Amino acid sequence: MRHLFFLAAAMIIGIEPTYAANRYNCAVDDTNIKLNIDAGFAEDGGHKLNHFRGALIAKSDRVPEGFRRLMLDSDQLMQSWASDSELRLRIYAQNDVDDPANNFDLLLTVDGSANPMRGNYLLTFNAKGQSQPAQFKGRLTCSEQ
């Protein structure tokens, strides 16, 4: 019985924890937008976000002028989730601090264990004076590193 206990303890000690990928690079280049996102997460428990940056070029004339070329940083990242080949990012920014009516909201959802991973984006631009928000959606690809 004692041998069985030590064998079980040795097996448990020998198991290494598995972590989600610590770095993701996501890209889109379609008729709506050109986007590149780089996000990094700590490998320790909790997988806290430790790096985020990106660039967005909107190709449609429906996009307000102030949002056609954007540099993205962690100040604009509202939500992040990375676990078991699943990535969720929500990015929000206002063009003018004094006028919250001018804003954009970008949601990235990625699922899959294949590398590269496939996902979707939903991008919404709101601008003062527009009767309806400009909304775009499409596919994106992410690689785990």
Side-chain angles (χ1 to χ4, degrees), residues 85-142:
S85 299
E86 179 182 22
L87 176 67
R88 303 275 189 267
L89 300 172
R90 182 169 217 135
I91 302 140
Y92 174 84
Q94 294 175 195
N95 190 27
D96 184 353
V97 175
D98 297 327
D99 191 356
N102 291 322
N103 61 63
F104 82 94
D105 187 30
L106 173 62
L107 176 63
L108 305 177
T109 57
V110 181
D111 291 307
S113 57
N115 197 8
M117 300 163 50
R118 306 277 184 217
N120 298 298
Y121 73 87
L122 176 61
L123 177 61
T124 305
F125 293 98
N126 292 294
K128 192 174 187 177
Q130 279 186 330
S131 60
Q132 299 249 349
Q135 193 171 67
F136 306 95
K137 56 185 169 180
R139 306 277 298 156
L140 73 139
T141 303
C142 297

Side-chain angles (χ1 to χ4, degrees), residues 3-71:
H3 296 296
L4 201 54
F5 173 75
F6 286 119
L7 178 61
M11 288 175 58
I12 290 171
I13 292 170
I15 296 173
E16 292 189 31
T18 58
Y19 296 109
N22 62 351
R23 192 87 170 203
Y24 295 89
N25 187 283
C26 300
V28 176
D29 191 359
D30 62 15
T31 57
N32 301 319
I33 64 170
K34 185 171 185 171
L35 173 71
N36 192 336
I37 297 282
D38 186 31
F41 295 84
E43 290 187 17
D44 58 357
H47 306 292
K48 184 177 178 180
L49 180 80
N50 60 16
H51 171 78
F52 178 81
R53 68 178 174 192
L56 173 88
I57 298 172
K59 299 177 181 179
S60 172
D61 292 338
R62 294 177 38 219
V63 175
E65 186 63 40
F67 290 118
R68 295 210 179 140
R69 293 185 178 272
L70 298 169
M71 297 305 293

Side-chain angles (χ1 to χ4, degrees), residues 75-89:
D75 290 340
Q76 298 155 326
L77 188 62
M78 298 293 108
Q79 298 173 352
S80 63
W81 168 265
S83 178
D84 297 328
S85 299
E86 179 182 22
L87 176 67
R88 303 275 189 267
L89 300 172

